[in-house]
């Protein structure tokens, strides 16, 4: 059985995470992923009982100032695995809802740098939204 571990500090390294969880049993998988606010991980134990012990012991424990969130991971089917690959790319794109003259639309920034504070330059075709500036494609 697999665990999802959320609210991990960007300072946490894979080997450190493995060491914390291997105290409960042998791991078959430990994937640490970067998130915008906090990192997260997927871990698979060889034995379900070990995963259950880790979940109950480590959920809410604080590491690097963040309380780790440990829960059962949802099982992936083939379609979900493909969707996960697509979403990992989509995760890099921030969507901003804007109100256009003729209704509501969404700005899809082309790059992270296309979202700036109001102090940043405002180019042609940019939209100012709630004090932030966004450049991108309106869809």
């Amino acid at each position: 059985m697999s665990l999802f571990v959320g609210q991990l500090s960007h300072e946490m390294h894979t080997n450190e995470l493995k060491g914390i969880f291997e105290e409960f049993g042998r791991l078959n998988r430990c994937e640490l992923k970067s998130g915008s606010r906090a990192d997260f991980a997927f871990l698979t134990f060889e034995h379900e009982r070990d995963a259950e012990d880790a979940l109950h012991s480590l959920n809410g424990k604080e590491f690097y100032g963040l309380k780790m969130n440990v829960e059962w991971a949802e099982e992936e089917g083939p379609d979900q695995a493909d969707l996960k690959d697509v979403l990992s790319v989509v995760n890099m794109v921030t969507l901003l809802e804007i109100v256009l003259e003729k209704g509501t639309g969404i700005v899809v920034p082309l790059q992270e740098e296309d979202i700036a504070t109001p102090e940043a330059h405002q180019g042609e075709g940019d939209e100012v939204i709630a004090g932030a500036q966004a450049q991108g494609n309106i869809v």
Side-chain angles (χ1 to χ4, degrees), residues 81-101:
D82 293 340
L83 181 60
K84 187 173 105 178
D85 291 339
V86 170
L87 290 178
S88 67
V89 173
V90 172
N91 189 34
M92 294 183 285
V93 178
T94 303
L95 299 178
L96 299 173
E97 185 175 338
I98 64 169
V99 177
L100 302 173
E101 288 180 318

Side-chain angles (χ1 to χ4, degrees), residues 66-130:
L66 293 176
K67 287 187 179 182
M68 192 165 35
N69 175 39
V70 183
E71 58 189 59
W72 294 112
E74 294 181 20
E75 292 299 316
E76 287 185 354
D79 294 336
Q80 289 177 335
D82 293 340
L83 181 60
K84 187 173 105 178
D85 291 339
V86 170
L87 290 178
S88 67
V89 173
V90 172
N91 189 34
M92 294 183 285
V93 178
T94 303
L95 299 178
L96 299 173
E97 185 175 338
I98 64 169
V99 177
L100 302 173
E101 288 180 318
K102 295 181 182 179
T104 301
I106 295 178
V107 170
V108 182
L110 303 176
Q111 301 175 34
E112 186 175 333
E113 296 80 30
D114 290 339
I115 300 172
T117 60
E119 294 80 31
H121 67 282
Q122 184 172 354
E124 206 172 302
D126 297 350
E127 298 289 338
V128 177
I129 305 147

Side-chain angles (χ1 to χ4, degrees), residues 20-71:
I20 292 167
F21 279 86
E22 283 179 334
E23 291 183 24
F24 297 92
R26 184 182 212 144
L27 289 173
N28 292 334
R29 172 178 78 141
C30 178
E31 290 182 46
L32 182 61
K33 307 278 187 175
S34 287
S36 57
R37 293 185 184 173
D39 289 352
F40 58 97
F42 294 96
L43 298 106
T44 305
F45 280 88
E46 193 170 286
H47 300 288
E48 185 174 342
R49 179 69 187 154
D50 297 336
E52 191 171 318
D53 291 343
L55 184 148
H56 294 297
S57 297
L58 296 174
N59 187 37
K61 286 270 187 170
E62 191 172 308
F63 291 93
Y64 295 106
L66 293 176
K67 287 187 179 182
M68 192 165 35
N69 175 39
V70 183
E71 58 189 59

